[in-house]
């Protein structure tokens, strides 16, 4: 019975992924957000060819990472405390949620200690909800200037990340994604070699792609409902 149950779950994840991939534009990278999903589901996603996985808590990331193949690319998508950077620095592929100079400095330091260059995205506050974090555009400009002067040699800033307001108002969501895309293009015009615009989740995937997303972070539409 247990075995049959696992087999059933595996095909379920593979089916979710298949229909999800059919909804992605060419060239858009899918980060499968596996937070609060059991390891069996991650393993079946891996079996189905998925390599980019996103988590929002360091503790959970540290529990899952050793159980998965070393060719998985791990994305940190949730708020990251500076005192936890050291735990993920040896393996993290991309940190989507950088929202302060303090965090940049710590990631740079720990990347150096691990003889790595760590990719990061700057999270911009585009939503109306104050609960969603992210920096202001003025800080973005300051960081770009300091980065261009070589302040954080062990960090590669690869682009921007943002979360739209949780609302049924599609015009509102579109407006916020458009604003983020504008900042992304502006950064590229200023000479940065950005290649990642991380926007779009299960509920606003389509709008995000229409507004220029290059990377989507999808949880429930990839794995089904989360535990608790
Ligand atoms: C949970 C989460 C997602 C995925 O959410 P779904 O609605 O399940 O697709 C994307 N981005 C962040 C930052 C998240 O915390």
């Amino acid at each position: 019975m247990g075995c049959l149950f696992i087999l059933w779950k595996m095909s379920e994840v593979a089916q979710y992924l298949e229909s999800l991939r059919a909804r992605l534009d060419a060239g858009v990278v899918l980060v499968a957000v596996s937070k609060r999903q059991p390891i069996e589901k991650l393993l079946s996603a891996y079996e189905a060819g998925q390599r980019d996985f996103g988590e929002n808590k360091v503790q959970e990331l540290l529990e899952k990472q050793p159980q998965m193949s070393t060719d998985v690319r791990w994305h940190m998508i949730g708020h990251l405390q500076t005192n936890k950077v050291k735990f993920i620095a040896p393996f993290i592929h991309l940190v989507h949620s950088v929202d302060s100079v303090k965090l940049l400095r710590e990631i740079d330091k720990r990347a150096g200690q691990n003889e790595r260059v760590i990719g990061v995205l700057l999270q911009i506050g585009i939503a109306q909800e104050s609960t969603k974090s992210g920096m202001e555009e003025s800080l973005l400009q300051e960081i770009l200037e300091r980065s261009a002067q070589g302040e954080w040699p062990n960090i590669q800033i690869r682009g921007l990340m943002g979360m739209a307001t949780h609302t049924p108002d599609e015009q509102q969501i579109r407006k916020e994604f458009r604003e983020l895309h504008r900042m992304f293009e502006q950064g590229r015009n200023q000479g940065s070699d950005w290649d990642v615009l991380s926007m779009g989740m299960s509920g606003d995937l389509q709008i995000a792609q229409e507004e220029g997303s290059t990377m989507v972070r999808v949880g429930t539409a990839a794995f089904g409902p989360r535990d608790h």
Side-chain angles (χ1 to χ4, degrees), residues 33 35 56 77-78 161 163 200-203 217-221 226:
V33 175
K35 65 185 185 194
N56 71 336
I77 63 168
M161 183 274 239
M163 287 169 90
M201 324 193 339
S202 298
R217 310 174 310 275
V218 183
T220 46
R226 282 184 277 275

Side-chain angles (χ1 to χ4, degrees), residues 6-225:
I6 286 170
L7 279 174
W8 172 77
K9 278 212 287 195
M10 284 171 74
S11 63
E12 185 195 41
V13 170
Q15 281 168 28
Y16 269 117
L17 280 174
E18 197 182 341
S19 52
L20 179 57
R21 284 180 188 137
R23 294 167 57 202
L24 297 183
D25 294 346
V28 171
V29 176
L30 168 64
V31 176
V33 175
S34 47
K35 65 185 185 194
R36 306 197 322 264
Q37 299 285 359
I39 197 75
E40 292 78 19
K41 286 196 175 184
L42 280 74
L43 288 165
S44 34
Y46 183 89
E47 278 295 308
Q50 184 62 32
R51 292 295 177 271
D52 290 274
F53 290 83
E55 290 283 339
N56 71 336
K57 296 227 158 66
V58 167
Q59 184 59 39
E60 198 171 340
L61 192 49
L62 293 176
E63 279 164 25
K64 285 172 172 169
Q65 188 263 343
Q67 300 184 67
M68 298 289 288
S69 171
T70 52
D71 66 346
V72 164
R73 291 179 291 270
W74 291 100
H75 298 247
M76 179 61 193
I77 63 168
H79 179 70
L80 179 58
Q81 287 173 271
T82 47
N83 62 1
K84 297 201 171 144
V85 171
K86 58 179 176 289
F87 302 119
I88 63 172
F91 66 87
I92 199 74
H93 173 67
L94 188 63
V95 180
H96 292 228
S97 44
V98 171
D99 58 0
S100 70
V101 168
K102 193 174 153 216
L103 187 54
L104 269 179
R105 195 182 300 131
E106 178 67 12
I107 295 172
D108 180 59
K109 176 179 149 190
R110 299 298 178 181
Q113 288 174 352
N114 284 278
E115 295 179 8
R116 299 186 67 211
V117 172
I118 296 181
V120 306
L121 304 178
L122 304 174
Q123 183 174 356
I124 310 295
I126 52 170
Q128 287 178 323
E129 299 126 309
S130 55
T131 47
K132 283 181 182 158
S133 47
M135 65 179 73
E136 305 267 324
E137 198 174 357
S138 53
L139 180 56
L140 167 63
Q141 284 304 329
E142 183 196 322
I143 288 173
L144 284 189
E145 283 160 27
R146 290 169 68 173
S147 170
Q149 287 159 11
E151 186 161 343
W152 306 290
N154 308 305
I155 280 183
Q156 186 192 7
I157 300 178
R158 292 189 55 191
L160 304 179
M161 183 274 239
M163 287 169 90
T165 305
H166 187 72
T167 169
D169 182 354
E170 295 198 354
Q171 285 313 315
Q172 178 66 28
I173 296 170
R174 190 176 295 282
K175 198 175 88 187
E176 292 170 2
F177 282 152
R178 195 165 287 179
E179 176 68 2
L180 189 61
H181 185 245
R182 179 191 64 74
M183 292 182 221
F184 181 66
E185 288 303 326
Q186 187 176 312
R188 299 223 292 186
N189 290 337
Q190 288 172 6
S192 60
D193 54 357
W194 289 354
D195 63 338
V196 180
L197 179 55
S198 169
M199 61 184 198
M201 324 193 339
S202 298
D204 52 26
L205 185 62
Q206 184 58 35
I207 303 175
Q209 291 187 99
E210 286 167 11
E211 297 303 330
S213 170
T214 73
M215 186 177 274
V216 292
R217 310 174 310 275
V218 183
T220 46
F223 293 105

